Amino acid sequence: MADSEAALKRFLLSNEVKELAPSDEIFRVNAEEHRKLVQGAPWSRDPTYFKYARISATALIKMLMHAKSGAKHEIMGIIRGRILPNTMVVTDSFALPVEGTETRVNAQAQANEYMCTYHEDSRRVGRQDNVIGWYHSHPGYGCWLSGIDVTTQTTHQQYEDPYLAVVVDHVRTISAGRVELGAFRTYPQGYKPADEPPSQYQPIPLNKIEDFGVHCRQYYALEVSYFRSSLDSHLLNRLWSRYWVSTLSSNTLFSQSDYLLSQSRDLADKLEQAEAGMGRQSALMDALDSDDRVAKLARDTGRLVTEELSALSGLLIKDLLFNRPGAKP
Amino acid sequence: FKPNHICKTMEVDASTTSGTAAASASDSLSAGSPGHMAPQGVQPSVNAALHPLVLLTISDHWTRCRLQFGHNRVLGALLGKQEGRLVEICNCFELAPYFSPANPQTADIDTIDAGFFQTRLAQYREVYPSLTVVGWYYCCDLPEEVTDTEAALHKQVCDLVMSDSPLMPVLLRLLPSSAATTAESLPVRLFESVLELVNGSPKCLFIPLPYSLATEEAERIGVDHVSRDMSGSGGTKVAEALAVQRSAVRALYSRLGLLLSYLRDVSAGRLPPCHAILRDLRRLADQLPVCGGEDFYRSFYRQCNDVQLTALLGTLIQATNTVHQLIGRTALLQDRRRRGVPSGYN
C-alpha cells in the first residue's frame, strides 16, 4: 500500500514538471500562431492549400456512433477544431437534430439556434475550438459529395472558410471492417485543378452514380489520419483486453445481410446495363478505356467478394477453434 | 486470480438478486458505517454495460482540462438506457462548475451549474431521444473508497436528476494515473448508489458495480482502427481483416495458456484448488464443441456455398472483363490494319 502511494506521488510529480507526451501537444491551443494563420488566410489564394485532415479518436467514434444511431437515415452534425499549416485538425464533433440532409441545401440552417447555444455553452467546459466544418453520413453508398453536398459546401467555403466537409459511411465500415470516412473541400467556381490527383476508387450504387459523376471534379479529398492523446492510448490498450471477445464473436454475414444483398442486386443491375451497351460496334473499342462499364463492374464485384470472403473467414476460424477440438488444421 | 471471459458470448456475472441484498444491507447498516461505502457483501442490483465512446470522451475531457485549466475537477453526466436490470451507458457530456453572479471570475468548483445541465440535456435529448441520464462521471486517482467531495457532488446530481427519472444514478470513476501503469484491467470503477437510512437520516451509499463492455460493430471497428496505427494502412484489405482476427485469436490463446498453467499448478499441488474456478472450467470444457449437430452444419455449409457462389460470380465477371479487353485490343488492331496505319511489325 505504501509503495503504491509513493509511486502515485512520484507519477503526479513527474507529470506536473515534465513536458507533455508528444502526442498530447496537439491538444494545446497556441492562440497567437492560430490568430496569425487565420488572419493571413492563405487558403484564399490557393484552393488546395489544405492537404491533410487530422481527426481525433473521440471525434471519429462520436461521428460513427451518431451515424449508426441514424441507421438508414442520413444524419448531420458539426465538427470543431483548428487549423495548422496545410492541415485541418478536428478535435470534436456534435450532432444536430436535422433531417433530410440530402434533399435540401443548407439543411443546417434549421438547427442554427441549437448550434449557437451548444457552441457557446461548450466554452465553459473548456472546448475553445471553433466550428470548422460539418459532417454527414451516407449509409451504404460510399464517401463522396453529392450535388447538394457540393453546393452546401461551396456556400460554406464562401462565407465561413476555413471549412471542411466530412462524410462517413457506417454501413460500409461494418461490412468492410475498416473505417470509411472522407474529408473534402470544394474548388471555387471555375477553378480547374492543375493536375488530377488519382482518387481512390469506390463502388457507387447505380442509382447514385450519375450524381457522383457529374460533381466528382468539383472537389478534392484531403488525406485523413487519426490521432489520440496518451491517456487515450492507455485506455485503448486496456480496452483490447476485453474487446477481443467481441471481435471473435462478431458475425458480419448475419448483421450485414441486408447490405450485402442490396450490393449483389446492384451488381446484377449494372451487369444488365453493361450488356445492353454491348450492341454498338464502337463498344468494342471502349474496352480499352479504364472507365469502361465492364471494367468497373469487375472492380465492384471484386470488392464485394473480398468483403464476403473476409466475413466467411471469420466464421471458418471460429469453427476450427471451437468445433473441432484436437483437430490439426 | 480471476478468469477472464473466454466464452464466445459475453456472459455477465450473475449476481444474487437485489431482494436479499436490501435486507442484509439494512441489518448491517444499523451499526453506522462512517464512510460512504455500503458494507461488504452487499450485491449490486443492476448490471452495467459501458460503451468505449464514453471512455474516450472522458479521457478527452481530462486531457483538455489538464492543458487549459488549472483545476482537476473533471466531471460530467452519463447518458444511457435502462431496461430492467441492465444499465447501458452510451454517451456522456461534460458539466460545468457554477459561476456565481456575485463572483463571476472564479468558478465554484464544488457546485454543479444546474442551468447548464438542463440545457445540455435538452439538446442531447433532441438528437438522441431514447437516452436518459443514468449517472455521472468523475476523474480522480484515489482507490476504492468514495470520498466526501464525490458524495457531495453525487447528492447534487441526484437532486438534478431525480425529477427526470426514477433510477438512482451510477457513479463512474476514471483513474487517469493508474492508466499509465501496466495493469491489465481498465482503470474505471463503477459504483451503484442506494439510498439507505443511516442513523435515521437518508444517505447515499455506494456499492461497487461490475461492468462489461457494450459492443457495437461500428464503434468496435473505429476503436480498433484508431488504436492500431494512425498512418495510412499498408497491405491489402484481406490482410488487414485477417490480422485483426489473428490478434483476437492470439488473445484467446494467451488466456487459455493462463488457465492451463493454473490447472497444472493445482494438480501439482503448488496452488490450492478453488472450486468455483474449477467448476467454471469444467462447464466451459463441456460446452465444446460450441455449436454442433446436423442442423448447424447444414446451414453453415449452405452459407459457405452462398458466399463461394458469389466468389464464382466475381471470378466469372473478371474473366469476362479480360476477354472483353482482349476483343477490344484485337478490334483496335484490325481497325488500324484496315485503315492502312502501320501496325508496327511489318
Side-chain angles (χ1 to χ4, degrees):
Chain A
M1 200 50 171
D3 281 344
S4 61
E5 276 179 20
L8 180 64
K9 284 205 185 67
R10 256 182 282 130
F11 179 83
L12 286 177
L13 197 62
S14 60
N15 259 9
E16 292 299 316
V17 173
K18 232 177 13 176
E19 281 284 312
L20 281 179
S23 56
D24 287 350
E25 280 302 315
I26 201 165
F27 286 91
R28 201 195 283 277
V29 181
N30 193 332
E32 195 46 51
E33 269 182 31
H34 193 244
R35 200 174 25 238
K36 266 194 281 196
L37 200 56
V38 168
Q39 279 173 354
W43 51 84
S44 50
R45 291 182 290 278
D46 177 8
T48 58
Y49 177 71
F50 288 113
K51 297 187 178 37
Y52 308 102
R54 300 191 63 193
I55 304 185
S56 80
T58 322
L60 171 68
I61 310 282
K62 273 191 179 173
M63 287 195 271
L64 275 177
M65 289 302 283
H66 183 207
K68 184 74 202 297
S69 74
K72 287 205 176 29
H73 298 288
E74 292 104 0
I75 48 86
M76 76 177 280
I78 298 285
I79 53 181
R80 286 191 284 211
R82 69 189 89 101
I83 54 174
L84 290 176
N86 291 115
T87 312
M88 298 191 98
V89 178
V90 176
T91 53
D92 184 37
S93 65
F94 64 89
L96 286 179
V98 176
E99 279 197 8
T101 54
E102 297 292 330
T103 55
R104 48 202 172 118
V105 178
N106 214 1
Q108 79 182 59
Q110 179 193 340
N112 264 339
E113 195 188 315
Y114 182 101
M115 185 175 99
C116 290
T117 343
Y118 195 103
H119 189 55
E120 282 312 307
D121 281 345
S122 300
R123 292 194 184 268
R124 300 181 52 195
V125 281
R127 292 209 185 265
Q128 295 169 341
D129 291 329
N130 292 320
V131 171
I132 58 162
W134 64 301
Y135 70 91
H136 67 289
S137 70
H138 277 181
Y141 53 96
C143 295
W144 44 280
L145 289 184
S146 67
I148 297 194
D149 295 338
V150 168
T151 325
T152 316
Q153 173 67 9
T154 320
T155 322
H156 281 307
Q157 278 188 213
Q158 236 178 334
Y159 298 114
E160 292 163 1
D161 234 1
Y163 219 73
L164 182 69
V166 168
V167 181
V168 64
D169 185 348
H170 58 281
V171 178
R172 289 236 172 128
T173 298
I174 299 177
S175 172
R178 50 209 296 262
V179 173
E180 298 277 333
L181 184 145
F184 307 103
R185 275 178 62 84
T186 52
Y187 295 124
Q189 292 277 6
Y191 176 80
K192 266 282 169 231
D195 51 356
E196 279 296 320
S199 59
Q200 215 191 26
Y201 179 77
Q202 49 179 326
I204 317 273
L206 205 55
N207 53 355
K208 306 265 182 193
I209 208 163
E210 278 199 35
D211 198 6
F212 171 75
V214 168
H215 300 280
C216 65
R217 299 264 178 267
Q218 292 173 338
Y219 56 90
Y220 71 99
L222 285 83
E223 199 180 303
V224 177
S225 61
Y226 303 99
F227 66 91
R228 57 194 200 241
S229 71
S230 49
L231 181 61
D232 284 344
S233 311
H234 292 306
L235 280 178
L236 289 170
N237 288 338
R238 304 302 181 66
L239 269 180
W240 181 244
S241 72
R242 297 237 193 165
Y243 238 15
W244 61 268
V245 178
S246 51
T247 310
L248 264 187
S249 54
S250 72
N251 188 347
T252 324
L253 280 181
F254 274 163
S255 52
Q256 292 285 93
S257 54
D258 288 343
Y259 169 71
L260 291 171
L261 198 61
S262 72
Q263 289 291 93
S264 308
R265 217 173 270 147
D266 190 62
L267 277 178
D269 289 338
K270 283 187 182 162
L271 190 59
E272 278 185 28
Q273 207 190 43
E275 195 187 2
M278 277 296 138
R280 306 171 294 132
Q281 183 58 29
S282 58
L284 290 180
M285 310 270 228
D286 289 343
L288 299 178
D289 184 8
S290 67
D291 271 349
D292 171 53
R293 280 210 186 100
V294 181
K296 274 199 188 151
L297 187 61
R299 276 194 292 242
D300 290 354
T301 321
R303 189 187 154 120
L304 177 65
V305 167
T306 315
E307 287 179 9
E308 287 209 8
L309 282 178
S310 318
L312 187 67
S313 69
L315 285 184
L316 285 174
I317 290 174
K318 278 189 286 211
D319 182 51
L320 267 180
L321 273 181
F322 297 115
N323 281 1
R324 297 162 205 257
K328 290 268 177 264
Chain B
F1 175 85
K2 275 199 213 126
N4 287 305
H5 298 289
I6 64 170
C7 310
K8 263 189 349 180
T9 54
M10 295 279 278
E11 286 185 357
V12 181
D13 288 338
S15 335
T16 56
T17 60
S18 56
T20 52
S24 62
S26 51
D27 285 340
S28 38
L29 276 177
S30 52
S33 45
H36 300 281
M37 303 296 293
Q40 290 279 353
V42 175
Q43 297 290 346
S45 60
V46 292
N47 296 320
L50 184 63
H51 278 266
L53 170 62
V54 173
L55 288 178
L56 283 180
T57 320
I58 300 177
S59 123
D60 181 61
H61 186 197
W62 184 82
T63 315
R64 269 179 301 114
C65 271
R66 266 193 65 208
L67 283 180
Q68 289 162 13
F69 290 162
H71 64 84
N72 269 345
R73 200 52 64 92
V74 177
L75 71 147
L78 294 173
L79 296 169
K81 306 181 221 190
Q82 171 159 25
E83 286 158 34
R85 286 185 52 192
L86 179 65
V87 173
E88 191 181 340
I89 306 175
C90 306
N91 213 331
C92 62
F93 60 84
E94 311 94 345
L95 285 178
Y98 180 67
F99 286 84
S100 69
N103 203 353
Q105 294 306 332
T106 57
D108 176 7
I109 53 182
D110 282 325
T111 325
I112 299 177
D113 190 340
F116 181 84
F117 173 78
Q118 298 294 353
T119 357
R120 257 310 152 85
L121 182 61
Q123 285 172 334
Y124 266 85
R125 288 296 260 294
E126 268 189 70
V127 186
Y128 301 105
S130 59
L131 297 184
T132 57
V133 179
V134 294
W136 64 293
Y137 69 81
Y138 187 64
C139 286
C140 90
D141 293 322
L142 299 168
E144 308 303 316
E145 297 284 314
V146 174
T147 58
D148 291 333
T149 25
E150 281 179 340
L153 288 169
H154 185 85
K155 184 153 186 325
Q156 293 182 38
V157 174
C158 283
D159 293 335
L160 286 174
V161 162
M162 282 319 252
S163 49
D164 197 27
S165 62
L167 21 116
M168 289 296 294
V170 161
L171 162 61
L172 185 153
R173 188 206 272 155
L174 184 70
L175 301 92
S177 71
S178 69
T181 63
T182 53
E184 268 270 325
S185 60
L186 282 173
V188 172
R189 306 269 179 275
L190 245 64
F191 298 97
E192 188 204 2
S193 64
V194 286
L195 205 55
E196 295 290 343
L197 279 177
V198 173
N199 298 336
S201 60
K203 187 172 161 178
C204 272
L205 292 174
F206 296 91
I207 311 169
L209 192 58
Y211 60 94
S212 56
L213 278 180
T215 58
E216 179 73 72
E217 270 303 304
E219 196 178 13
R220 177 181 73 75
I221 294 175
V223 164
D224 201 41
H225 187 89
V226 171
S227 65
R228 261 186 295 134
D229 190 3
M230 306 299 105
S231 56
S233 56
T236 64
K237 294 199 182 99
V238 176
E240 275 180 29
L242 284 181
V244 171
Q245 295 280 356
R246 180 165 169 255
S247 44
V249 172
R250 211 186 305 163
L252 175 64
Y253 185 70
S254 69
R255 294 286 194 276
L256 284 178
L258 197 60
L259 287 175
L260 263 183
S261 63
Y262 171 72
L263 280 177
R264 282 198 201 108
D265 284 345
V266 167
S267 69
R270 283 193 287 268
L271 281 178
C274 168
H275 292 288
I277 297 178
L278 291 175
R279 264 201 301 273
D280 276 340
L281 283 176
R282 178 66 209 228
R283 200 164 24 120
L284 211 58
D286 282 343
Q287 279 178 338
L288 291 173
V290 175
C291 279
E294 283 280 325
D295 287 338
F296 167 73
Y297 274 108
R298 209 175 303 140
S299 50
F300 180 53
Y301 289 146
R302 193 178 305 144
Q303 189 163 46
C304 287
N305 286 344
D306 285 344
V307 173
Q308 286 175 321
L309 191 63
T310 320
L312 179 65
L313 174 68
T315 333
L316 281 177
I317 293 185
Q318 302 272 9
T320 314
N321 185 32
T322 321
V323 171
H324 185 61
Q325 300 222 336
L326 175 66
I327 294 180
R329 291 191 176 119
T330 321
L332 182 67
L333 277 181
Q334 276 187 346
D335 188 55
R336 279 196 176 167
R337 205 169 290 148
R338 199 172 359 109
R339 281 192 281 139
V341 173
S343 69
Y345 1 66
N346 312 343

